[in-house]
Amino acid sequence: FEDAICQVKGMTVIHGKKKSLKSMIALEFVRALATGTPFAGYIPFIRSSGPASVAIIQYEVPPFSFKERILGLLLDMPDEERLLFQQNVFVHSMNENKMPRLKATDRLFLPTIQKLIEPVTNGPNQRPAIDVVLFDPIQRMTGGANQSQSHEMDGLLGVAARLQDDGLTTIWCHHNNKQSGDAERDPDSMTGTQRFSGDADSIASVWYNKTTMIDDHNPARVKERNFDWEVRSGGIPPGRGISSRPVEDNPSLMHIEYGPQHGGGEGAEDDSPVF
């Protein structure tokens, strides 16, 4: 993208408290990468070779609910974007209606991931080589390893480095620790070793301010969050606001909007929300 929020061969981490919409921000990355369009309506896509092929490996949301999330995204896309999304996005194990059981401590973890990203040229499930891999969330793939011990996270972070060496971009979702409190905007509020913030090329910190944002427990079921950026190279991209609400004629689906940061944050200069 025009700002260094998700670099080719780089590592992007999106972190926040539970139910903070970080997975929806990750899916916005998937949508923008797969369709070659601006991220969250404000950071242009500039990859010269066009839209990317993206693999999603998500461990948190059951298959039926995850399909609802994807359907909500598809309904908000114009026809040409929807077609690109369907051509370029691949979800591990969704065809079998299962959630992944891959763990970074497994001996075959990296070989399994490498096989998943290879092109498939024959048969009914053909796909191109994968350019970007999204892992969501980190703690569901650590197995018995201690997230706070850097040496025990070497396997997981080594996978990221190996994939990046092979030309791929990785995106990771991670939770904050229980003590983060008002420090949730700080990348060091992530659970476990500070290597999660130290190794990343870009970090999106998702946060909530109860005095300026609507309470989650409201009759309209609206949720508001902001996110800030920290990047290793280039300037600091402006933050953004995200909100979710049920789709009016199908409340089981989620409608997502991006716009200026809620409550007059740093992204508030743009007053035209993106649907």
Side-chain angles (χ1 to χ4, degrees), residues 8-240:
V8 174
K9 301 184 183 181
M11 175 182 177
T12 295
V13 176
I14 306 163
H15 74 96
K17 293 182 178 180
K18 63 181 181 179
K19 300 186 181 297
S20 63
L21 299 177
K22 57 185 175 294
S23 292
M24 301 310 300
I25 296 170
L27 286 179
E28 171 59 14
F29 262 123
V30 173
R31 184 209 62 76
L33 289 162
T35 61
T37 55
F39 169 81
Y42 82 128
I43 299 184
F45 180 88
I46 60 169
R47 184 173 182 255
S48 59
S49 54
S53 298
V54 186
I56 300 173
I57 305 177
Q58 74 87 24
Y59 297 77
E60 196 163 50
V61 182
F64 179 79
S65 297
F66 189 75
K67 289 175 184 177
E68 287 186 325
R69 287 189 177 183
I70 297 296
L71 180 57
L73 281 179
L74 290 171
L75 290 175
D76 281 337
M77 293 183 202
D79 290 344
E80 62 273 16
E81 285 188 23
R82 188 178 301 122
L83 180 60
L84 284 168
F85 187 94
Q86 293 171 321
Q87 291 174 341
N88 292 326
V89 177
F90 306 88
V91 186
H92 176 52
S93 77
M94 192 60 72
N95 287 345
E96 292 80 28
N97 209 36
K98 298 176 181 177
M99 292 179 67
R101 295 291 182 263
L102 295 168
K103 302 295 181 185
T105 50
D106 295 343
R107 180 175 57 86
L108 296 178
F109 180 76
L110 178 59
T112 300
I113 299 299
Q114 290 174 320
K115 184 172 180 60
L116 290 173
I117 63 179
E118 292 176 349
V120 176
T121 56
N122 298 308
N125 297 317
Q126 296 184 35
R127 66 166 186 263
I130 297 299
D131 302 306
V132 183
V133 184
L134 164 64
F135 296 97
D136 182 14
I138 285 176
Q139 73 262 33
R140 292 287 182 93
M141 52 193 293
T142 55
N146 186 336
Q147 294 180 63
S148 296
Q149 299 297 318
S150 292
H151 69 281
E152 293 193 32
M153 289 294 100
D154 278 345
L156 181 65
L157 293 165
V159 166
R162 179 64 180 272
L163 293 175
Q164 290 162 225
D165 287 345
D166 290 342
L168 279 87
T169 301
T170 61
I171 302 173
W172 306 74
C173 286
H174 196 24
H175 288 77
N176 286 356
N177 59 55
K178 293 179 180 179
Q179 291 76 38
S180 62
D182 292 335
E184 58 190 315
R185 299 175 72 169
D186 186 340
D188 287 338
S189 66
M190 284 187 256
T191 297
T193 173
Q194 290 188 2
R195 282 191 61 189
F196 290 127
S197 60
D199 285 21
D201 298 287
S202 61
I203 300 170
S205 301
V206 188
W207 55 277
Y208 174 75
N209 186 326
K210 64 182 179 182
T211 63
T212 60
M213 299 184 208
I214 190 170
D215 189 286
D216 288 353
H217 303 288
N218 62 84
R221 293 165 58 193
V222 174
K223 180 180 287 189
E224 295 179 341
R225 295 292 187 273
N226 290 337
F227 54 95
D228 300 326
W229 290 105
E230 182 172 302
V231 297
R232 189 183 300 275
S233 60
I236 300 176
R240 199 66 164 156

